[in-house]
Amino acid sequence: NKIILKKLGGFDINLGMKGKTISAHEETRFFDRLWKLEKGKMVDIYYSPDLLFEHLIHDFKLKVSYILKRSFASGQAWFFRYTPVSLLKRFILIGLSITYIACHILISIITIFFYKKPQQWLIERVNRVIFSLGFLFSCLGIVIRQQQA
């Protein structure tokens, strides 16, 4: 509904793709605000498993390097869903991020031999570490913009 979209200020222009800069989660942040609006009482959101969209995906977006860059950028954008963040919450998020990264590095090392193709391992295991690194960097106030090729 256009009225609700305007009431919520539209999509966050600080998130999402801009030119060749990779980012994400503008829709997620919008839906976060939507759910907080009157605790969801003002809006009805429907889901239909029969609804299909055709979405053009360029070949370069299927490359492992792009997927990993996007994962890092997504981790950074995910942190910005929490802003503003108190100093205490920031320290908690940093601690959780470091723990998550350490666990997934260990899992990645243990599982590397179970994958027939290194690309599959990178996308399924290392991708989680890279997302978390993006989140951690944002917690620390370090923003690294990822660029498309």
Side-chain angles (χ1 to χ4, degrees):
N1 183 312
K2 195 173 184 177
I3 295 167
I4 294 171
L5 186 66
K6 284 185 177 187
K7 183 175 182 176
L8 291 173
F11 292 99
D12 187 339
I13 60 170
N14 296 311
L15 300 174
M17 302 289 284
K18 281 184 242 134
K20 290 190 173 261
T21 302
I22 302 170
S23 188
H25 298 299
E26 67 276 17
E27 297 95 350
T28 308
R29 190 153 192 190
F30 176 78
F31 279 104
D32 286 345
R33 291 191 324 245
L34 183 64
W35 285 115
K36 289 177 186 172
L37 179 72
E38 304 285 331
K39 295 185 181 178
K41 292 179 185 172
M42 274 189 72
V43 296
D44 291 322
I45 298 176
Y46 298 95
Y47 166 77
S48 171
D50 298 325
L51 187 62
L52 299 174
F53 286 93
E54 287 189 29
H55 188 77
L56 173 65
I57 299 175
H58 297 283
D59 289 341
F60 72 90
K61 290 185 177 184
L62 300 175
K63 293 183 179 178
V64 173
S65 60
Y66 177 84
I67 292 168
L68 296 177
K69 283 181 184 180
R70 180 160 174 92
S71 186
F72 184 87
S74 292
Q76 290 197 307
W78 193 260
F79 171 79
F80 291 112
R81 292 180 61 219
Y82 295 104
T83 55
V85 177
S86 69
L87 189 58
L88 176 62
K89 189 171 184 180
R90 189 177 291 258
F91 278 121
I92 291 169
L93 290 171
I94 289 169
L96 291 172
S97 296
I98 291 170
T99 303
Y100 187 88
I101 290 166
C103 289
H104 278 281
I105 286 173
L106 183 60
I107 291 168
S108 295
I109 292 168
I110 291 169
T111 60
I112 190 169
F113 300 107
F114 294 104
Y115 289 90
K116 292 180 182 178
K117 296 182 179 182
Q119 297 90 337
Q120 185 182 7
W121 173 75
L122 284 168
I123 291 169
E124 290 185 17
R125 294 291 170 194
V126 177
N127 199 26
R128 295 174 188 183
V129 174
I130 299 220
F131 176 92
S132 300
L133 284 170
F135 187 87
L136 176 61
F137 273 53
S138 288
C139 287
L140 296 170
I142 302 167
V143 177
I144 299 173
R145 299 282 177 218
Q146 298 298 313
Q147 300 291 316
Q148 296 178 31

